[in-house]
Amino acid sequence: EAQVTQNPRYLITVTGKKLTVTCSQNMNHEYMSWYRQDPGLGLRQIYYSMNVEVTDKGDVPEGYKVSRKEKRNFPLILESPSPNQTSLYFCASTADRGNEQYFGPGTRLTVT
Amino acid sequence: EDQVTQSPEALRLQEGESSSLNCSYTVSGLRGLFWYRQDPGKGPEFLFTLYSAGEEKEKERLKATLTKKESFLHITAPKPEDSATYLCAVGGNTGKLIFGQGTTLQVKP
């Protein structure tokens, strides 16, 4: 089954404790993105990658890092999480940036 | 600056009462306009892609249309299971996907 998977689905952590949210897709897509979704602000792009070893900032990259060492994986790293990064996070992939994106199930992160 | 505005923010319909959702956009070099459906706590689910003005696409009770400035998602004779948040997004020359804030639709039986 073609899908985007994210782990963990739920995470509660404390300020400053480094964490990684994994994202994997099995569709051989070149383009992958990370979004955060907040009430009243909608979906906002954090980072995106157009291919292996190619990443670029989205609209809200501060406080986040990404890497793209393999085509299928695109982890999101929070080196020192803060409470304002409490949000619902989605990973997405697409074959080409002009095509529809397929979203993962989401990771709900709470930073206390 | 690429921008997407959706209206209304919320819409309540009776089952069978047809209506339309609006998505107004400005984008540098439209590569695609996308409609998604999102259920609470879940990832957006792809519905349609429109590439050029005049294009229309249909799926069951949903029909999406596109002009140079806006897109409409028409819902014909909706059912309670159509209740969800509908998201519009545009992709332009920047390579980014810009989302609107969505329209939350509630269909009452």
Side-chain angles (χ1 to χ4, degrees):
Chain A
E1 179 190 355
Q3 60 182 351
V4 178
T5 56
Q6 296 178 226
N7 282 292
R9 295 289 315 281
Y10 302 91
L11 180 58
I12 300 174
T13 189
V14 296
T15 299
K17 185 177 181 181
K18 181 180 178 180
L19 66 92
T20 299
V21 183
T22 65
C23 172
S24 184
Q25 51 93 5
N26 63 1
M27 295 169 278
N28 202 36
H29 285 167
E30 293 193 348
Y31 190 101
M32 298 184 73
S33 295
W34 274 104
Y35 296 86
R36 60 177 290 173
Q37 187 173 38
D38 303 289
L41 296 176
L43 274 163
R44 294 177 293 168
Q45 193 175 42
I46 303 171
Y47 268 95
Y48 63 98
S49 169
M50 288 192 278
N51 213 328
V52 175
E53 302 293 358
V54 180
T55 62
D56 209 346
K57 296 178 180 179
D59 295 314
V60 288
E62 294 77 21
Y64 304 94
K65 286 176 59 177
V66 293
S67 69
R68 188 88 182 276
K69 293 182 168 53
E70 306 167 279
K71 198 172 188 178
R72 64 182 291 127
N73 296 323
F74 191 44
L76 179 69
I77 304 157
L78 284 72
E79 295 269 3
S80 182
S82 62
N84 64 13
Q85 292 178 298
T86 292
S87 187
L88 181 58
Y89 291 86
F90 291 103
C91 180
S93 75
T94 181
D96 183 88
R97 62 183 184 178
N99 293 359
E100 64 273 13
Q101 297 199 16
Y102 293 89
F103 285 80
T107 295
R108 186 168 292 281
L109 172 66
T110 302
V111 183
T112 61
Chain B
E1 181 183 347
D2 296 350
Q3 193 169 358
V4 177
T5 303
Q6 290 186 249
S7 61
E9 286 187 20
L11 182 62
R12 287 186 178 181
L13 299 174
Q14 289 295 131
E15 185 173 2
E17 179 187 2
S18 301
S19 189
S20 297
L21 282 55
N22 178 263
C23 171
S24 297
Y25 68 92
T26 54
V27 65
S28 175
L30 180 69
R31 294 177 71 92
L33 184 141
F34 308 91
W35 282 99
Y36 290 85
R37 169 189 171 129
Q38 187 176 24
D39 293 301
K42 295 189 175 182
E45 176 187 342
F46 169 73
L47 293 173
F48 303 109
T49 306
L50 301 168
Y51 292 106
S52 58
E55 191 174 0
E56 299 182 353
K57 289 194 176 172
E58 286 188 67
K59 180 180 179 180
E60 297 180 354
R61 295 177 292 282
L62 301 177
K63 179 180 178 180
T65 62
L66 181 65
T67 73
K68 289 186 177 179
K69 293 184 178 180
E70 57 191 352
S71 177
F72 291 94
L73 185 64
H74 306 278
I75 303 177
T76 302
K79 298 182 178 181
E81 53 262 43
D82 294 322
S83 298
T85 295
Y86 291 86
L87 300 171
C88 172
V90 292
N93 288 335
T94 62
K96 299 179 184 179
L97 195 63
I98 307 298
F99 280 85
Q101 296 207 17
T103 294
T104 299
L105 173 66
Q106 184 180 25
V107 182
K108 293 190 172 183

